[in-house]
Structure formats: structure tokens, C-alpha cells
């Protein structure tokens, strides 16, 4: 069975964009692939975090995974920092990755521009991400468009290592859905929906109050004209709402355009708000039951033990290939 793997950062409550771009794809494919889903807490500290908030966000994210429909029987669920082999593997990979490649990553360029004193972890972050992926020989990595470049780098790193030291890793590929790979900000639909947006009205968080969620959608920026038509260039606001609707109902764009032909923007927004609120309501009610359950700890213990064995074996293999330590 082929493997599928992804991770999310525990920096605040995740957004509807995170859900549609990655978790929903994991849920939809969990019967098809051997699945791995983790909390990327080591990635979170590339930017300063409050210690207590980070801890509580980690647990909250695990509860959200389960509440979104991630089945612990079908997924290995774990916390990145509980498995030290990720960083061990990452170091060897770093020594096989060029500075130029890392400094050309779009996210690094954006984030480093915003902050003069950025950490070197912000530069090397995609190598740790490559380690997370190739340690398990993952074939598919469900991500949104914003992480595609990083998965492609993981591909390059795996290929380069295989060529230099002999077959060691499966070469991964991003798994990108047709719609919803980039859910945009509701206020400024030319920007990605993001936890860190300054205007909170543009972002839907999975744990947002339901009335506020509805208001955010009803207040979403729309475009001139009156037609409900998918046209990302000229109608970015409506196209984003169509993308959200399509992703949560599994209808096609064409079907949605026909359903809402000659309908007002406000009628369409109400329909989008209904499906978003319905989705979030379900997630929140199971989240509240799960958050303090003992089940989470036993899932994480199992996940840690299982994944540690795999990552350790890969690290030992890499050491052998590279000539580290004393050998067998
Ligand atoms: P992160 O935490 O920034 O985002 C988690 C996932 O959500 C997707 N995403 C979106 N998709 C659609 N529309 C949006 N507006 C949107 N915003 C975010 C992201 O593409 C991502 O899939 N480096 C990663 C975490 C990571 C990882 C990995 C992922 C660490 N190691 C190994 C895959 C494999 C990150 O910061 O994602």
C-alpha cells in the first residue's frame, strides 16, 4: 500500500483553508493509503512562540484532527518533536542541500522580508519538512498550493540523495485537490486565507463562534457585476466563495454556476455560510468531547512508538550510506 503523509503547524487554531487544503484530503484518502498525520511543532518554533500557548495548541490540533474525521485506526498520529529522528535525518539532508535552493524558497523570501532578525531555522525549515516526508517513504503529500514548492524541494533532495548514495528514499509528490488548494482571505481575496492575517474578518477558524463565522461569510468582499461565475482573475471574491462551496459539498463548479444562475450574491453567500456553519458545527461538537479525553494520549503514545521505529531505521540506513559512526 502506498503511503500518504502530512503535517500542520500548531500555531493558533487552524483555518478553513488548512482544513480544505490538507486535512479534508487526508480524510478522503485514508482508506486508500497507509496514512501518517503529525503536528509540526518543531516547524512552529522557527518563529517565536509562547510556551504555554504552543503546548495547548498541540493538543488542540490533535483533537481537531480527530474531530475532522481522521480515523486513528487508519492513521499514525504523532507529534514531530517526540521523534528525534526527524531532526537527525534533517541534519544529514541539510548537508546535501544547497544554500541557494533554500534562499530561493518563496515562503522564506516572504517571511524573512517581514522580519529583519529571522532565525536560521526559517531558512532550513524546508529540509526538516523533507525529512518528515522521506523518513517514511511517503508517496503522496496532501498540501495546499503554498506548500507545493517545499514538497518539490523534498523531491529534489530525495532524488539527489538516491543518486549520490544509492537508492534510499521513495521520491514524494504533492497531492493537490482540484479546488480548494488555495482558499483566499474573505476581505482581501487576492491574499491567501491565513491564521496570521491582520484583519480577523478575512479568516475562518475552525473553532470560531458560529454566528461570527456566518457574519464573516456574509460580509465577504464580492466583485462588481452580479453573476455567480467562476473567474479568478476578474471575480476573485465570488470565485473564492465558489471554491469553498465546491470543496465542502463535492459539487462541481459548473453545477454551482447553474444552481445559482440569476440568483443574488446575498443568496449565494447564505448558501455558502450554511455549508460552512454545518461543517464547523460538526467539527466543534466532536472536538469538545475529545479535547480532554485520555484517548488522545494513547493515540499519541502508539503513534510515537510506531513512527520512531521507522524513522530510526531510515536514519541508521542513511548513516551507513554516508559513513557516519562505527558501522555495523
Ligand atoms: P501550515 O501549518 O502552514 O499549513 C498546513 C496545511 O494547510 C495548507 N493551507 C492551505 N490550503 C488551502 N488554502 C489556504 N488558504 C491554506 N493555508 C494553508 C498548507 O498548504 C498545508 O498543507 N510546513 C508545513 C507543515 C509541515 C508539513 C511537513 C506538511 C511540516 N512538515 C511535511 C507536509 C509534509 C506548514 O507550515 O503548513
Amino acid at each position: 500500500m502506498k503511503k500518504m503523509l502530512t503535517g500542520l503547524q500548531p500555531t493558533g487554531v487552524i483555518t478553513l483553508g488548512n482544513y480544505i487544503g490538507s486535512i479534508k484530503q487526508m480524510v478522503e484518502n485514508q482508506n486508500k493509503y497507509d496514512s501518517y498525520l503529525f503536528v509540526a511543532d518543531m516547524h512552529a518554533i522557527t518563529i517565536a512562540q509562547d510556551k504555554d500557548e504552543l503546548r495547548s495548541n498541540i493538543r488542540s490540533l490533535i483533537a481537531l484532527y480527530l474531530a475532522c474525521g481522521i480515523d486513528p485506526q487508519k492513521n499514525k498520529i504523532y507529534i514531530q518533536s517526540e521523534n528525534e529522528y526527524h531532526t537527525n535525518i534533517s541534519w544529514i539532508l541539510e548537508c546535501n542541500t544547497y544554500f541557494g535552493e533554500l534562499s530561493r524558497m518563496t515562503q522564506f523570501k516572504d517571511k524573512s522580508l517581514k522580519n529583519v532578525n529571522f532565525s536560521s531555522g526559517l531558512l532550513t525549515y524546508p529540509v526538516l519538512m523533507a525529512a518528515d516526508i522521506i523518513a517514511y517513504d511517503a508517496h503522496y503529500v496532501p498540501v495546499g498550493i503554498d506548500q507545493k514548492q517545499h514538497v518539490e524541494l523534498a523531491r529534489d533532495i530525495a532524488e539527489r540523495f538516491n543518486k549520490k548514495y544509492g537508492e534510499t528514499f521513495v521520491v514524494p509528490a504533492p497531492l493537490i485537490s482540484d479546488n480548494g488548494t488555495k482558499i483566499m482571505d474573505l476581505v482581501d481575496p487576492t491574499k491567501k486565507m491565513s491564521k496570521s492575517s491582520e484583519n480577523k474578518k478575512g479568516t475562518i477558524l475552525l473553532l470560531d463562534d458560529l454566528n461570527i463565522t456566518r457574519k464573516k461569510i456574509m460580509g465577504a468582499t464580492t466583485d462588481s457585476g452580479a453573476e455567480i461565475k467562476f473567474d479568478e482573475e476578474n471575480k476573485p471574491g465570488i470565485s473564492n466563495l465558489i471554491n469553498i462551496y465546491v470543496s465542502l459539498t463535492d459539487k462541481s463548479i459548473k453545477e454551482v454556476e447553474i444552481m445559482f444562475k440569476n440568483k443574488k450574491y446575498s443568496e449565494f453567500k447564505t448558501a455558502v455560510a450554511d455549508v460552512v456553519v454545518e461543517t464547523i458545527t460538526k467539527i466543534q461538537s466532536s472536538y469538545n468531547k475529545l479535547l480532554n479525553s485520555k484517548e488522545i494520549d494513547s493515540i499519541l503514545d502508539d503513534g510515537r512508538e510506531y513512527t520512531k521505529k521507522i524513522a530510526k531505521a531510515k536514519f541508521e540506513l542513511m548513516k551507513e550510506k554516508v559513513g557516519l559512526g562505527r558501522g555495523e
Side-chain angles (χ1 to χ4, degrees):
M1 202 184 219
K2 289 196 170 171
K3 286 186 181 170
M4 166 176 77
L5 172 148
T6 205
L8 287 85
Q9 290 195 41
T11 44
V13 177
I14 52 171
T15 70
L16 185 66
N18 296 134
Y19 171 70
I20 293 175
S22 76
I23 301 183
K24 191 164 180 280
Q25 293 205 76
M26 287 295 290
V27 174
E28 280 167 2
N29 289 301
Q30 62 187 350
N31 291 325
K32 206 155 120 199
Y33 303 120
D34 184 14
S35 305
Y36 293 70
L37 178 60
F38 66 97
V39 171
D41 56 345
M42 300 287 263
H43 276 95
I45 60 164
T46 51
I47 288 174
Q49 301 294 331
D50 176 86
K51 165 177 173 276
D52 296 329
E53 256 176 53
L54 180 60
R55 273 272 155 80
S56 88
N57 285 339
I58 292 170
R59 194 175 181 91
S60 161
L61 185 50
I62 300 282
L64 273 173
Y65 286 167
L66 301 174
C68 288
I70 293 292
D71 181 346
Q73 304 295 331
K74 293 178 184 148
N75 290 264
K76 278 74 184 175
I77 302 173
Y78 53 105
I79 300 174
Q80 186 185 33
S81 67
E82 291 191 353
N83 186 340
E84 62 273 23
Y85 293 102
H86 288 224
T87 41
N88 285 346
I89 291 172
S90 179
W91 175 253
I92 304 181
L93 296 180
E94 257 182 58
C95 297
N96 288 280
T97 306
Y98 299 107
F99 173 78
E101 287 176 299
L102 296 178
S103 58
R104 280 195 296 275
M105 290 290 118
T106 316
Q107 258 202 13
F108 170 71
K109 285 198 278 189
D110 289 351
K111 288 193 182 170
S112 58
L113 272 179
K114 278 191 205 141
N115 199 339
V116 192
N117 285 320
F118 56 86
S119 71
S120 38
L122 203 60
L123 175 75
T124 56
Y125 147 138
V127 188
L128 178 58
M129 181 162 161
D132 297 336
I133 299 168
I134 66 181
Y136 300 95
D137 288 324
H139 297 82
Y140 301 113
V141 186
V143 283
I145 289 275
D146 63 323
Q147 291 292 337
K148 185 168 174 252
Q149 194 184 33
H150 292 161
V151 180
E152 283 165 354
L153 180 72
R155 221 186 142 79
D156 293 345
I157 294 175
E159 273 171 352
R160 183 177 309 142
F161 196 98
N162 285 348
K163 216 167 176 188
K164 192 164 167 193
Y165 300 103
E167 227 25 62
T168 311
F169 300 114
V170 163
V171 177
L175 188 71
I176 307 240
S177 68
D178 294 340
N179 312 96
T181 53
K182 195 170 184 186
I183 298 301
M184 307 306 271
D185 187 275
L186 297 172
V187 177
D188 177 359
T190 60
K191 264 183 18 197
K192 178 185 85 164
M193 182 183 283
S194 161
K195 291 172 201 163
S196 54
S197 289
E198 268 159 40
N199 190 341
K200 301 292 169 225
K201 290 185 181 152
T203 305
I204 291 182
L205 302 177
L206 293 195
L207 298 177
D208 264 348
D209 174 272
L210 299 172
N211 288 327
I212 294 179
T213 302
R214 186 172 285 281
K215 277 196 192 130
K216 285 182 181 175
I217 299 209
M218 296 312 287
T221 305
T222 38
D223 321 283
S224 56
E227 235 187 325
I228 318 288
K229 195 170 173 3
F230 191 80
D231 176 351
E232 278 178 314
E233 205 175 307
N234 299 309
K235 292 169 100 44
I238 282 294
S239 302
N240 187 37
L241 293 177
I242 294 180
N243 262 336
I244 293 175
Y245 192 81
V246 162
S247 305
L248 298 181
T249 59
D250 296 323
K251 291 197 166 31
S252 71
I253 293 179
K254 267 271 138 306
E255 281 170 323
V256 174
E257 285 176 344
I258 294 168
M259 270 170 75
F260 292 94
K261 200 168 187 293
N262 300 326
K263 294 262 170 28
K264 294 200 194 89
Y265 278 171
S266 60
E267 286 172 88
F268 179 52
K269 280 181 171 176
T270 305
V272 178
D274 287 346
V275 292
V276 171
V277 167
E278 192 192 329
T279 306
I280 292 189
T281 307
K282 274 194 215 137
I283 294 174
Q284 290 183 1
S285 72
S286 45
Y287 169 84
N288 291 328
K289 286 182 211 131
L290 285 158
L291 187 60
N292 295 313
S293 74
K294 290 224 166 53
E295 193 195 348
I296 289 195
D297 291 299
S298 79
I299 290 171
L300 290 175
D301 288 346
D302 291 351
R304 182 191 58 217
E305 292 318 309
Y306 190 97
T307 56
K308 248 190 174 177
K309 277 193 206 119
I310 300 179
K312 179 176 194 296
K314 192 60 98 180
F315 179 56
E316 295 302 336
L317 175 67
M318 290 171 78
K319 278 170 66 182
E320 215 35 57
K321 300 241 177 190
V322 175
L324 292 170
R326 281 180 293 171
E328 299 284 285

